[in-house]
Amino acid sequence: MHTNVTVQTEALVTKIRFNDTQAIGVEYVQNQETYFAGVRNEVILSAGAIASPKILMLSGIGDETELAKFDLPVVVNAPEVGRNLHDDLFISAGFSIPQAQDVPVYPYSLAPAVIFASTENSSSVVDIESSVGVGTIKGFPSPKHSFWLWPNVMHLKSKGTVTLRSSSPEEAPVIDPKYLTAPEDLQSCITALQLAIDIGNQSRLSQWRESQIAPEPGADLESYIRQTADTTYHYCGTCRMGIDESSVVDTELKVRGTSGLRVIDASVFPLPITANTAAATMMIADKGADIIIKSSDRA
Ligand SMILES: Cc1cc2nc3c(=O)[nH]c(=O)nc-3n(C[C@H](O)[C@H](O)[C@H](O)COP(=O)(O)OP(=O)(O)OC[C@H]3O[C@@H](n4cnc5c(N)ncnc54)[C@H](O)[C@@H]3O)c2cc1C
């Protein structure tokens, strides 16, 4: 029980308010009423890789030409806010299971097994994390008698953007992930898909495999990937941390050009990471908490 913490639920933060470039608190809407929460020390923004850049831009921190489109007063011209959006891509290879086979039913799991591998585009790191499952897994619409390999392709080079759609906090921003715009990403996806196809067709799996159903044998892999590749919801990078002046936050997670404002969430990852993003986000949060405690000790 933390008696010094107040949690406001069902509250939409609409902007951070500044006195010049000093963050003094946040405005939020709750039950159609607007409130202001002032801060004694600092504002910590942790709205995730889509909403954190949106809130910064609504508050006047972003590319000044973008802010001008919506008549938003500029607090700091920070062109990188909302840029450097990166994500992993899910692709899939599916195989039918003979009807005579009893298929296992898992209560809830995307992946009873995971295969890690590396493409030639990234020999120094694991950049394929392939989940393996059967069609009966809850939430998957695939045929009951089928098994699937879902390579999550990581360390992709394509970088997207999050920009404002309007000056209204109620409106979702424009998310343009620019998937597969870097040519080597398509090559990585083809390698990962081919690996999944090869594994699914192994002779050791013959009692479980009737035929390859996706992609159909002989299908053009590029077209198949372009039609079926999907987000893994591993959005990161839109408030990039760095030691260079153009990065959005510095190595203490402070928003450059302001005081009293930090971003602590997946938006600060400068580069894609290996594997899923939740644990790394928690590590950022843990490290961020340490930084805050140390800086308040110094004050
Ligand atoms: C469907 C799905 C499945 C996933 N599966 C996995 C997985 O299996 N393993 C894994 O490691 N990762 C997974 N991830 C990714 C992981 O959840 C994220 O990387 C991680 O949650 C990012 O943390 P964050 O703090 O940056 O953002 P978030 O967890 O998104 O937290 C941001 C919070 O800010 C709130 N917020 C946003 N805007 C406002 C506003 N204006 N006012 C008030 N509150 C606001 C949001 O409601 C949210 O609670 C998954 C993500 C999704 C969407």
Side-chain angles (χ1 to χ4, degrees):
M1 174 80 167
H2 296 282
T3 51
N4 57 348
V5 174
T6 306
V7 178
Q8 295 293 345
T9 59
E10 304 294 322
L12 179 77
V13 171
T14 52
K15 69 187 287 195
I16 299 156
R17 232 195 261 168
F18 290 90
N19 182 359
D20 191 19
T21 55
Q22 165 84 44
I24 56 168
V26 296
E27 283 180 15
Y28 64 94
V29 174
Q30 194 179 38
N31 296 326
Q32 284 147 12
E33 297 286 332
T34 300
Y35 298 90
F36 174 72
V39 291
R40 269 195 300 273
N41 294 319
E42 53 185 336
V43 172
I44 311 296
L45 179 59
S46 303
I50 305 301
S52 280
K54 174 188 162 188
I55 292 169
L56 286 182
M57 289 185 275
L58 289 173
S59 312
I61 301 173
D63 187 332
E64 61 187 1
T65 52
E66 280 292 311
L67 302 185
K69 287 182 194 165
F70 306 107
D71 293 326
L72 289 164
V74 178
V75 175
V76 179
N77 178 27
E80 288 228 16
V81 172
R83 296 199 185 148
N84 190 47
L85 173 66
H86 44 81
D87 191 7
D88 305 327
L89 273 177
F90 254 141
I91 48 181
S92 53
F95 301 84
S96 59
I97 297 174
Q99 289 296 324
Q101 284 283 16
D102 264 347
V103 290
V105 178
Y106 298 95
Y108 184 79
S109 170
L110 170 67
V114 176
I115 299 163
F116 290 94
S118 193
T119 69
E120 63 268 29
N121 282 333
S122 184
S123 57
S124 61
V125 289
V126 168
D127 61 351
I128 301 172
E129 179 200 12
S130 184
S131 305
V132 185
V134 293
T136 48
I137 288 174
K138 187 180 167 194
F140 280 88
S142 47
K144 180 174 179 243
H145 273 75
S146 63
F147 73 88
W148 294 79
L149 291 99
W150 291 283
N152 169 34
V153 191
M154 304 172 286
H155 292 277
L156 297 171
K157 306 283 191 299
S158 306
K159 299 286 178 274
T161 54
V162 173
T163 50
L164 292 178
R165 191 180 302 276
S166 76
S167 59
S168 165
E170 310 280 341
E171 279 211 73
V174 179
I175 304 165
D176 180 359
K178 294 191 168 59
Y179 293 130
L180 301 175
T181 48
E184 57 267 54
D185 289 354
L186 178 65
Q187 195 49 53
S188 293
C189 288
I190 289 174
T191 304
L193 179 57
Q194 192 60 64
L195 180 70
I197 292 170
D198 291 347
I199 293 172
N201 279 310
Q202 288 291 311
S203 56
R204 297 294 291 269
L205 289 171
S206 58
Q207 77 176 103
W208 292 101
R209 184 188 57 250
E210 189 171 61
S211 59
Q212 183 183 320
I213 53 174
E216 286 181 1
D220 177 55
L221 297 190
E222 176 176 346
S223 310
Y224 174 79
I225 288 165
R226 289 195 184 280
Q227 282 162 19
T228 61
D230 206 354
T231 175
T232 47
Y233 305 103
H234 291 166
Y235 316 119
C236 297
T238 48
C239 300
R240 177 177 72 83
M241 176 173 53
I243 53 172
D244 56 308
E245 287 301 312
S246 57
S247 58
V248 177
V249 300
D250 65 16
T251 52
E252 292 203 312
L253 305 166
K254 289 178 180 162
V255 175
R256 289 183 185 278
T258 70
S259 47
L261 175 60
R262 292 184 217 251
V263 180
I264 305 184
D265 58 27
S267 71
V268 305
F269 294 9
L271 297 166
I273 60 159
T274 303
N276 299 359
T277 42
T281 310
M282 289 176 217
M283 284 167 55
I284 293 276
D286 196 54
K287 180 74 183 164
D290 267 356
I291 293 171
I292 293 166
I293 290 166
K294 283 196 184 109
S295 68
S296 57
D297 286 349
R298 283 199 300 266

